[in-house]
Amino acid sequence: MRFALFDDGRLGVVDQDDLVDITDALGDDARHPGGALHAWIEAHAAGRTPRPPLDTAPRSPLATARLQAPLPRPGKIVAAPVNYRDHQSEMEYTTSIADLGVFLKANSSVIGPGQDIRLPYSDKRTDQEGELGVVIGRTASHVPVEEALSYVFGYTCVLDITVRSGEDRSTRKSFDTFTPLGPWVVTADEVPDPGRLDLRCDVGGVTRQQVGTADLIFSVGELIAYTSSVMTLHPGDVIATGTPAGVGPLSHGDRVVVEIGGIGRLEVGVDASHATPYAQRPGNASALAR
């Protein structure tokens, strides 16, 4: 199934050209602070998932729905740096995820389809990074590689937006709006092998990134196994699996599209109307004065 959030937090199942509203099946759980889909995933993990009332629930055209990020506030967002060899070469890194480990992004950085990435600085490059997102379905700690995919609830499209400045990686990637997510979550049963997906990312109608997930350095299973050896993963957590070569600068008015075969197509805009010079960031003036 494909689960989407729409129209102020309603939970829907995508059924061809329709969106089936199953919010009422959750009862009071639909008011979960992480969103209705997060509540559904937690219920599923606890073995009490309600049966989606697909035959009787209200339907509306998918084309007219206002889609939101399917997980507007994940428990945590874990991201994989340098997880494609071509990106390693592009960025002239001597290290990869095997040396660097993973990092965390703020969950407040999530936006959904049709929203805008807001560029913070007028004189610092900000890049797009299209990625496959993995949504965890049950608590995972020290999971063996061979069992790792059984802990996946589903998959989605992710953009990991990055400022090319000197701060720590988590800071440069955690600005508000820097994690577009969506347009929905496709359940794991519809993706038998996450290592055989085609990913493409376009900016301004030009393809910048195109790769097969078979080229990941750490596969999805290996990434879950490694991450769960460091930190416990909980239902509704999101792992961004890394980006291939082709990252590049974003400009005001750009349209950014990441599309993954079998998953979906996520499109967002870019807004630089409130960008300020890097030297004017809070704390910088006092640092220079010392």
Side-chain angles (χ1 to χ4, degrees):
M1 286 191 290
R2 300 184 175 205
F3 287 94
L5 281 197
F6 70 104
D7 296 354
D8 300 320
R10 306 291 294 180
L11 178 61
V13 171
V14 179
D15 184 11
Q16 298 185 35
D17 294 330
D18 288 341
L19 199 53
V20 185
D21 188 341
I22 62 169
T23 313
D24 293 344
L26 279 169
D28 290 341
D29 287 345
R31 293 191 289 271
H32 190 289
L37 178 55
H38 202 147
W40 189 279
I41 295 170
E42 289 187 348
H44 179 77
R48 52 181 176 81
T49 312
R51 182 182 296 277
L54 300 182
D55 294 333
T56 59
R59 289 173 174 259
S60 58
L62 176 61
T64 62
R66 291 184 296 108
L67 295 181
Q68 300 171 256
L71 291 163
R73 195 192 304 175
K76 56 181 171 286
I77 303 167
V78 184
V82 200
N83 200 22
Y84 286 91
R85 291 293 181 197
D86 60 354
H87 181 54
Q88 182 184 31
S89 298
E90 170 187 52
M91 302 302 288
E92 298 182 351
Y93 288 125
T94 59
T95 54
S96 74
I97 185 172
D99 311 289
L100 298 169
V102 294
F103 63 94
L104 296 174
K105 297 189 66 170
N107 63 3
S108 53
S109 65
V110 171
I111 59 171
Q115 294 186 269
D116 286 341
I117 300 160
R118 297 196 304 269
L119 304 187
Y121 302 125
S122 57
D123 52 356
K124 286 291 182 182
R125 173 173 155 173
T126 299
D127 289 357
Q128 102 293 333
E129 299 185 8
E131 309 193 8
L132 172 67
V134 179
V135 179
I136 297 300
R138 57 193 178 106
T139 302
S141 178
H142 296 277
V143 173
V145 172
E146 59 271 18
E147 298 176 15
L149 293 185
S150 70
Y151 287 80
V152 176
F153 177 81
Y155 301 92
T156 191
C157 302
V158 177
L159 281 161
D160 176 19
I161 307 303
T162 307
V163 171
R164 300 299 176 193
S165 56
E167 292 88 353
D168 174 80
R169 183 177 265 111
S170 288
T171 299
R172 295 186 287 109
K173 293 171 173 279
S174 284
F175 286 85
D176 288 352
T177 75
F178 269 28
T179 312
L181 192 69
W184 40 64
V185 172
V186 178
T187 52
D189 59 295
E190 294 197 8
V191 185
D193 186 354
R196 292 184 176 273
L197 301 175
D198 294 322
L199 181 152
R200 191 182 80 247
C201 186
D202 297 348
V203 178
V206 176
T207 297
R208 287 189 178 177
Q209 298 179 282
Q210 192 160 12
V211 74
T213 54
D215 292 341
L216 285 165
I217 297 172
F218 277 13
S219 68
V220 171
E222 290 169 328
L223 190 51
I224 292 170
Y226 171 77
T227 303
S228 72
S229 76
V230 177
M231 64 190 82
T232 299
L233 298 170
H234 296 287
D237 286 350
V238 173
I239 299 177
T241 57
T243 200
V247 303
L250 298 175
S251 301
H252 181 79
D254 279 343
R255 303 299 297 177
V256 186
V257 176
V258 58
E259 186 167 5
I260 303 175
I263 307 297
R265 179 181 187 275
L266 172 65
E267 180 174 351
V268 294
V270 179
D271 179 11
S273 61
H274 298 288
T276 59
Y278 183 67
Q280 293 181 12
R281 68 193 185 281
N284 189 54
S286 60
L288 291 175
R290 287 198 294 270

